[in-house]
Amino acid sequence: MAVAVKKKSFLDGIPDAPPDPILSLRTLYEEDPAEKKLNVSVGAYRTDEGKSYVLPVVKEVETMMLDDPSLNHEYLPVEGLKEFRDATAKLAFGEDSLAIREGRCVTVQALSGTGALRVGLEFLSRFYAQGAKVYIPEQSWPLHRRIPPLSGMGEVGLYRYFNADTKGVDFTGLMEDISHAPNGSIIVLHPCAHNPTGADLSFDEWKRLCTVIAEKGHLPFFDAAYQGFATGDLIRDRFALEYFASQGIELMLSQSYAKNMGLYGERTGALSVIVSDKSIVDRVLTQLKQVIRPMYSSPPAHGARIAATILNNPVLFDKWNGELKLMSGRILEMRTALKLALQKLQTPGSWDFLEKQIGMFSYTGLTGPEVDFIQEKYHIYMMRNGRISMAGLTTSTVDYLAGAMHDAVLNAPKGHL
Ligand code: PLA
């Protein structure tokens, strides 16, 4: 006899979740039947043919892996692949980092940058001073706002970051806000290629910020999702990480290999904690494992093996460097091309900032209504805050985007809704 069917589902009252401001655009783009359309929303590198890209050095390693009889599909340890953990810390803080040499750096593999942030913040919610607040830049990657409360850290505070007039960092505002935050606050920092503004601190500004953070006893939490992608130079892009660590500051770091190795879907990343006292590192590691084990047990192996092989082999490492230069170089070319195209059209405004911004994104200053106008009329998908992924642009689509921006600046409804 069939079981009586209940009329109501236990999920009847389930509310609709708000769409993700970045990922939902991909779906809209894919579902858009228009013949001419463009997706410059998510920060994913595309070739000049608009194709997704597997780095040749990654392909080479994968080919080697295919023939390697020692590889299997066993679980990795909870904390991840040893060769990867060691190498990724050195990539961030430098081969000669004192913190590493003194054994004060704990690194665990994580589910790319997002997972590292999540594990790191959950760890802090258990062991960092109760009630400490996480501060993020006023303009930031949307998940910086969402992950802390979900990890038990409460709602975030904001610090000023961007000066809309100069289109650069509002360093005075940033320093004021970080000085006024309660001592011992957690400060989320983008070490390079700030998302979404493309405006980074100068080396000198990092040094001044480091002094204030040390004086205030704040804990910096660096989110390094673009090392090597800002300037094409891994060492230059890690300046802030290397400098803060060299000053004996305790800090947290999330790292992602999504962009710089193109390992987006492999979820390859790491979380590092630098502490001032070597005697506590073992306890830090065991507690990080306590966070990870009931969350997803252990991390995926494939991407970590690829990254470890590249990071630990000088020949492959050099190849990777060359490929980073090519990718970041193409992005720079797109910046110049878009600027020139807008200038040619005599689009109102100065577009020089497009070349000054750094990294994957351009923060165009387009308003919400202008973005809506462009999406509706031209089927171009970008974030509603005016962020464009320059890596999604190609030689053959620059003029289309410039034309749409020109039309929007002149003809879209005014306002910032
Ligand atoms: N941190 C920052 C600042 C990021 O921009 C991103 C990705 C991440 C962390 C996380 O990346 P990962 O988990 O894939 O390593 N930002 C993207 C994609 C590229 C996204 O939103 O997930 C973006 O378009 O902003």
Side-chain angles (χ1 to χ4, degrees), residues 20 22-23 41-44 111-115 117 141-144 190 195 223 225-226 256-259 264 267-268 360-361 387:
D20 185 274
I22 299 175
L23 301 184
S41 58
V42 72
L111 299 182
S112 217
T114 311
L117 282 162
W141 181 50
L143 288 190
H144 283 159
H190 301 223
N195 176 7
D223 178 11
Y226 300 96
S256 165
Y257 289 88
K259 271 66 69 172
Y264 306 92
R267 314 310 293 144
T268 309
M360 210 155 200
F361 302 108
R387 186 193 88 168

Side-chain angles (χ1 to χ4, degrees), residues 58-68:
V58 167
K59 259 248 146 55
E60 185 178 338
V61 173
E62 284 182 313
T63 311
M64 281 157 51
M65 285 166 79
L66 212 54
D67 293 328
D68 183 346

